[in-house]
Amino acid sequence: EVQLVESGGGLVQPGGSLRLSCAASGFTFSSYEMNWVRQAPGKGLEWVSYISSSGSTIYYADSVKGRFTISRDNAKNSLYLQMNSLRAEDTAVYYCARVEEAVTMYYWGQGTLVTVSS
Amino acid sequence: QSALTQPASVSGSPGQSITISCTGTSSDVGSYNLVSWYQQHPGKAPKLMIYEVSKRPSGVSNRFSGSKSGNTASLTISGLQAEDEADYYCCSYAGSDVVFGGGTKLTVL
């Protein structure tokens, strides 16, 4: 059974940093692209970042470019999102999703809540 | 990276059909057959309903169908059921970006 479990969310002050993790199981992690997608409270879905199966190709939304870094460790079946210089508008539930062809997200985690507030 | 345009809300009675539009540009929807649709119930993770414009994942009811014409993609739900009431999001590849629509709230009357 495919499982994606996010962790690392919490309350952080503006300007602070947080590292999210996504533990994958039930499939060959190294064969799949991955996305981070977020959803602010009461708002719609927003794509955050994409990483190819090998990690060689990475994309970011303009809203996080230069502040967030996506990475993966295929040996540990894990996906990461390093978030720096956090702003109030980064407050959201962050989902990791297994991807095919960039936008076909068959499997999603349950999400982890990041709250940026003083 | 402008969001795709969806109607904020649509509604229909049980048994009826509804269509949700998703309008992009020649840089996203119009250029790639990589449009997907997601259903999201309150407090739940999104669920893939349609991928590559019109393909249905296994386990998704054939009441759900997708299409595209020019810069606009569409999701049609036929034979509306109470459990279809949810938020629906379209998503398109846009070169080095991925863009979502703003979401459409479907109400089953």
Side-chain angles (χ1 to χ4, degrees), chain A residues 12-17 85-88 115-118:
Chain A
V12 61
Q13 292 188 338
S17 298
S85 303
L86 283 162
R87 306 166 180 166
T115 303
V116 184
S117 175
S118 55

Side-chain angles (χ1 to χ4, degrees), chain A residues 22 29-37 47-61 69-74 78-81 96-103 105, chain B residues 96 98:
Chain A
C22 171
F29 181 70
S30 59
S31 296
Y32 288 89
E33 308 155 46
M34 298 292 293
N35 274 339
W36 285 101
V37 175
W47 169 75
V48 172
S49 186
Y50 160 94
I51 187 167
S52 62
S53 57
S54 66
S56 60
T57 300
I58 286 173
Y59 303 138
Y60 297 100
T69 302
I70 191 172
S71 63
R72 64 191 297 160
D73 186 337
N74 286 342
S78 293
L79 174 73
Y80 306 102
L81 186 68
C96 63
R98 195 185 91 173
V99 180
E100 295 180 25
E101 302 286 2
V103 297
M105 290 170 265
Chain B
S96 58
V98 173

Side-chain angles (χ1 to χ4, degrees), chain B residues 37-49:
Chain B
W37 288 89
Y38 299 88
Q39 176 193 65
Q40 188 180 35
H41 288 108
K44 301 293 188 181
K47 175 186 177 183
L48 178 68
M49 305 303 286

Side-chain angles (χ1 to χ4, degrees), chain B residues 18-104:
Chain B
I18 63 94
T19 297
I20 299 172
S21 61
C22 169
T23 302
T25 69
S26 58
S27 298
D28 39 61
V29 175
S31 286
Y32 306 95
N33 286 325
L34 292 176
V35 176
S36 51
W37 288 89
Y38 299 88
Q39 176 193 65
Q40 188 180 35
H41 288 108
K44 301 293 188 181
K47 175 186 177 183
L48 178 68
M49 305 303 286
I50 295 289
Y51 68 100
E52 293 177 15
V53 174
S54 59
K55 298 179 180 178
R56 214 171 28 249
S58 61
V60 171
S61 170
N62 59 9
R63 298 185 298 105
F64 291 82
S65 61
S67 62
K68 189 184 87 166
S69 177
N71 296 338
T72 299
S74 299
L75 173 71
T76 297
I77 309 174
S78 59
L80 270 179
Q81 299 180 0
E83 61 260 34
D84 298 333
E85 185 162 295
D87 294 324
Y88 290 85
Y89 297 90
C90 60
C91 181
S92 176
Y93 182 65
S96 58
D97 294 321
V98 173
V99 60
F100 279 97
T104 297

